[in-house]
Amino acid sequence: MRSLPARRIAAVALTAAASVVALAGPAFAHVTVNPGSAPQGGYTAVDIRVPNENDAASTVKLELSLPLDHPLASVRTLPMPGWTATVEKSKLDKPIKVHGNDVNEAVSKITWTAEAGTKIAPGQFQEFRVSLGPLPTDTDKLTFKALQSYDNGDVVRWIDEAKDGQPEPAKPAPVLALTKATSADGHGATASAAPAADGHTHDDGAKDEAAGSDKATDSTARVLGVVGIVVGVIGAAFGVLGLRRKSGGSAS
């Protein structure tokens, strides 16, 4: 008679644990900017990392909108086999000064479209490399809104902006954090270099390594957090089972 409740409690615990893991999974699958930070005022090269979240369809297009409230005078894409990159520019309401010259337009959108036979299949991800600069000095972040299109017609809108003190939105927009620039001469000049011909800056390796370490640490923390919740759910379930057994034994 006692085995049936035990089985039910175990089933409930396992169902709850599976739900927690399922809910935690998407947190690892956002469209992101990597590395996630760069010094203000300089040039950098970043990867727009696009994971496929759909188990039954493939990603075939990415549209990335660049902020015009903090325009970037130089935006270049790294050629990628199997993908066509289209760059759109918009006229600025107010010109910006770059190296003493007025810039009246800036890139407002980049669209990567998969050619025949190319796709980001289920369980895969792709990185689209872009060089940017000079980065603004009057903000601490740049937000890039993205639309991810699948071959079944679905479109995922990565456009929600996170707000301080509130939970992360379900579909957050990719963000590049901007840090205060430092230099050995103490004048606050940026230490980052202009992008080379291949789209990489000279210090990209160190940045990517640091970013990879940060990502690994963050992922590990999330996994451990999920495991802790699962263990807690199962422990609570068996605690209830123990109390029932004890109560049943006292009654006899």
Side-chain angles (χ1 to χ4, degrees):
M1 292 296 293
R2 293 178 183 172
S3 61
L4 184 58
R7 289 177 182 175
R8 287 179 178 174
I9 292 174
V12 169
L14 291 175
T15 300
S19 299
V20 170
V21 172
L23 290 173
F28 297 93
H30 298 337
V31 172
T32 56
V33 179
N34 296 279
S37 66
Q40 295 175 339
Y43 291 79
T44 191
V46 298
D47 293 318
I48 309 301
R49 185 173 297 167
V50 182
N52 191 326
E53 294 184 311
N54 196 316
D55 293 332
S58 298
T59 297
V60 292
K61 184 166 72 172
L62 175 70
E63 300 169 73
L64 186 74
S65 294
L66 283 69
L68 287 180
D69 54 344
H70 294 96
L72 299 164
S74 175
V75 177
R76 300 174 185 175
T77 61
L78 185 68
M80 179 180 299
W83 295 84
T84 299
T86 303
V87 176
E88 299 178 25
K89 292 185 176 182
S90 296
K91 187 175 179 60
L92 301 177
D93 294 333
K94 181 181 179 182
I96 57 174
K97 284 280 188 183
V98 179
H99 305 306
N101 299 315
D102 286 338
V103 176
N104 297 297
E105 63 178 12
V107 174
S108 56
K109 185 178 180 181
I110 306 173
T111 301
W112 287 273
T113 305
E115 300 170 1
T118 301
K119 61 187 177 181
I120 308 174
Q124 297 180 349
F125 75 94
Q126 184 61 271
E127 292 182 333
F128 301 88
R129 194 163 185 83
V130 185
S131 67
L132 308 167
L135 300 175
T137 58
D138 58 349
T139 183
D140 61 359
K141 66 179 179 180
L142 291 176
T143 300
F144 304 89
K145 297 185 178 182
L147 301 183
Q148 180 180 9
S149 298
Y150 288 86
D151 56 9
N152 66 350
D154 289 349
V155 178
V156 180
R157 300 169 61 84
W158 300 96
I159 63 173
D160 298 329
E161 296 189 42
K163 292 180 172 40
D164 292 340
Q166 296 187 15
E168 182 182 61
K171 301 297 179 184
V175 173
L176 175 65
L178 301 179
T179 59
K180 291 294 183 182
T182 59
S183 69
D185 62 12
H187 290 89
T190 179
S192 62
D198 63 355
H200 292 69
T201 60
H202 294 297
D203 58 352
D204 272 347
K207 288 182 182 177
D208 289 344
E209 183 177 353
S213 177
D214 291 343
K215 287 289 181 183
T217 301
D218 181 61
S219 298
T220 301
R222 290 187 181 185
V223 171
L224 291 176
V226 170
V227 172
I229 294 174
V230 172
V231 172
V233 170
I234 296 175
F238 281 99
V240 171
L241 176 61
L243 290 174
R244 287 189 176 183
R245 286 180 174 176
K246 183 177 181 180
S247 176
S250 299
S252 62

